[in-house]
């Protein structure tokens, strides 16, 4: 009789197949042979215990680190060794705290800052922002003012560019609006941008900071603070100056103003912003022309002054004497290319003036060669203010003349 054939050896299953589980291995039942079910191996219990211990230890370390890292330095360091990326985590900054910090860093001794806004369309290399900053470098006594200038970026690309060319930048990115492209005059995006600016400037006043707001297409040639009125709450440049700084019939331009932070100016900016609902479809400058006669202005005691175009000129009404000019604005101009063209010529004219000997400067032998590509007629070829606003302003101007 042959020897019994050796049976193949199989590894014993730790658990029977699924079909047999309920029959032979129910929890707490006997094994198929009638004996008690054998306990899990020691190695399995050890792994489970080690896992639970590690999980508990990490939880304790996280709790200690979050609540009091100074009292438990060893726990904090252990947590960092286990999760080194913890060191790189920075919570997102609070926008108002970031704004206040930026204003504080740029502030003059009397809590005054210079503000301008920038979007991607104006931020590219050799664009308007470069000419703007260059004017501070070429101006008389204006270089120091750059230390107090804050550029308010309206989109991510503008903010990145600002961080390269300037030291005081603040990101004012609006989720429900795209301000990257050039906002053409009186288009919906233009209106949204202008009213967003008014609301933002109100928040600056509420933080206790006075400001000079300047459009970025304004060239700074002299320190304007010497020409401001010391007793005014709100003073603003003009497209057309009628001759008196107190006359409400002046035609203001919202691209340049000096505002002191106090209860009167804060109330005024709230009223100005809220008035855009009273006059839908109008931009901030046209609404200002409406509300400047409102009794609310006199009720709050706001002192308004209009700045003479002899010192604060623009292409609408240029400053005639380069010995007096503080700023020049590329207003009454449509399109980026036109602005760039005339602003470059403006800087060339200023540089030529500064090279003159004193006697020739006094004789005013150099005058502006602008506007060239910029003109009021070019502006009106495109979306314009409501027709009744234009007619009303022209009739008032004819009556005064």
């Amino acid at each position: 009789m042959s020897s019994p054939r050796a049976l193949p050896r199989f590894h014993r299953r730790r658990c029977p197949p699924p079909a047999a589980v309920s029959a032979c291995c129910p929890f707490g039942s006997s094994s198929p042979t009638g004996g008690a079910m054998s306990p899990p191996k020691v190695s399995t219990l050890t792994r489970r215990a080690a896992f639970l211990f590690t999980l508990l230890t990490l939880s304790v370390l996280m709790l200690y680190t979050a609540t009091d890292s100074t009292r438990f330095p060893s726990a904090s360091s252990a947590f960092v060794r286990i999760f080194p990326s913890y060191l790189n985590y920075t919570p997102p900054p609070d926008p108002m705290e970031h704004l206040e910090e930026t204003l504080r860093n740029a502030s003059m001794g009397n809590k005054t800052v210079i503000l301008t806004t920038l979007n991607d369309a104006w931020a590219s290399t050799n664009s308007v922002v470069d000419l703007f900053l260059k004017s501070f470098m070429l101006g008389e006594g204006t270089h120091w003012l750059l230390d107090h200038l804050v550029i308010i970026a309206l989109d991510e690309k503008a903010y990145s560019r600002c961080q390269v060319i300037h030291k005081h930048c603040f990101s004012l990115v609006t989720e429900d609006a795209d301000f990257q492209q050039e906002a053409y005059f009186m288009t919906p995006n233009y209106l949204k941008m202008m009213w967003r600016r008014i609301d933002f400037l109100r928040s600056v006043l509420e933080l206790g900071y006075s400001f000079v707001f300047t459009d970025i297409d304004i060239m700074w040639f002299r320190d304007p603070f010497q020409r401001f009125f010391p007793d005014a709450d709100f003073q603003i440049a003009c497209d057309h100056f009628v001759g008196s700084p107190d006359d409400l019939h002046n035609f203001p331009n919202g691209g340049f103003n000096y505002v002191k932070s106090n209860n009167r100016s804060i109330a005024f900016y709230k009223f100005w912003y809220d008035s855009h609902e009273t006059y839908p479809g109008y931009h901030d400058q046209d609404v200002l022309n409406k509300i400047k006669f409102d009794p609310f202005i006199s009720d709050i005691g706001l002192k308004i002054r209009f700045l003479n175009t002899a010192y604060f000129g623009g292409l609408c009404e240029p400053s005639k004497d380069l010995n007096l000019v503080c700023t020049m604005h590329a207003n009454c101009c449509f399109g980026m290319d036109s602005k760039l063209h005339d602003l470059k010529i403006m800087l060339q004219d200023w540089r030529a003036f500064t090279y003159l000997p004193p006697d020739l400067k006094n004789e005013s032998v150099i005058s502006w060669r602008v506007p060239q590509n910029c003109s009021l007629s070019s502006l009106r070829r495109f979306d314009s203010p409501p027709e009744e606003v234009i007619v009303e302003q022209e009739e008032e101007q004819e009556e005064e003349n």
Side-chain angles (χ1 to χ4, degrees), residues 187-363:
T187 58
N189 213 37
Y190 173 88
L191 295 175
K192 186 177 292 187
M193 185 184 297
M194 293 302 101
W195 288 113
R196 182 71 181 94
R197 183 175 78 184
I198 295 298
D199 192 38
F200 172 77
L201 293 176
R202 172 197 54 77
S203 67
V204 173
L205 294 173
E206 290 180 340
L207 289 173
Y209 289 88
S210 304
F211 61 79
V212 176
F213 178 81
T214 171
D215 274 348
I216 210 160
D217 60 345
I218 293 179
M219 302 294 100
W220 284 55
F221 298 126
R222 288 188 177 89
D223 184 347
F225 287 93
Q226 308 302 317
R227 298 294 183 180
F228 289 146
F229 298 95
D231 62 338
D233 301 310
F234 175 82
Q235 40 200 311
I236 188 168
C238 298
D239 284 337
H240 172 60
F241 184 71
V242 301
S244 171
D246 302 318
D247 193 337
L248 292 177
H249 291 89
N250 282 296
F251 290 82
N253 185 294
F256 187 90
N257 48 66
Y258 174 37
V259 189
K260 293 180 180 177
S261 175
N262 53 45
N263 291 335
R264 296 182 296 274
S265 63
I266 293 172
F268 168 66
Y269 265 79
K270 288 180 179 179
F271 177 61
W272 191 359
Y273 179 77
D274 291 342
S275 296
H276 84 280
E277 297 182 356
T278 307
Y279 303 99
Y282 286 70
H283 65 75
D284 59 316
Q285 193 168 299
D286 284 335
V287 171
L288 176 60
N289 272 321
K290 296 285 188 182
I291 66 173
K292 64 186 180 183
F293 298 104
D294 196 285
F296 177 81
I297 303 300
S298 56
D299 290 344
I300 64 176
L302 184 78
K303 294 182 180 180
I304 300 178
R305 296 292 182 271
F306 298 90
L307 300 171
N308 194 333
T309 50
Y311 309 112
F312 303 93
L315 299 182
C316 296
E317 193 167 280
S319 302
K320 297 178 181 179
D321 190 347
L322 275 70
N323 291 286
L324 300 179
V325 64
C326 293
T327 62
M328 273 283 286
H329 190 181
N331 51 6
C332 293
C333 186
F334 177 87
M336 179 72 67
D337 293 338
S338 296
K339 282 184 183 288
L340 280 172
H341 178 272
D342 281 23
L343 286 172
K344 288 177 181 178
I345 293 176
M346 198 185 296
L347 284 178
Q348 292 171 6
D349 292 344
W350 172 257
R351 177 172 281 181
F353 170 78
T354 60
Y355 287 156
L356 290 175
D359 55 335
L360 292 180
K361 284 183 179 179
N362 294 331
E363 293 179 9

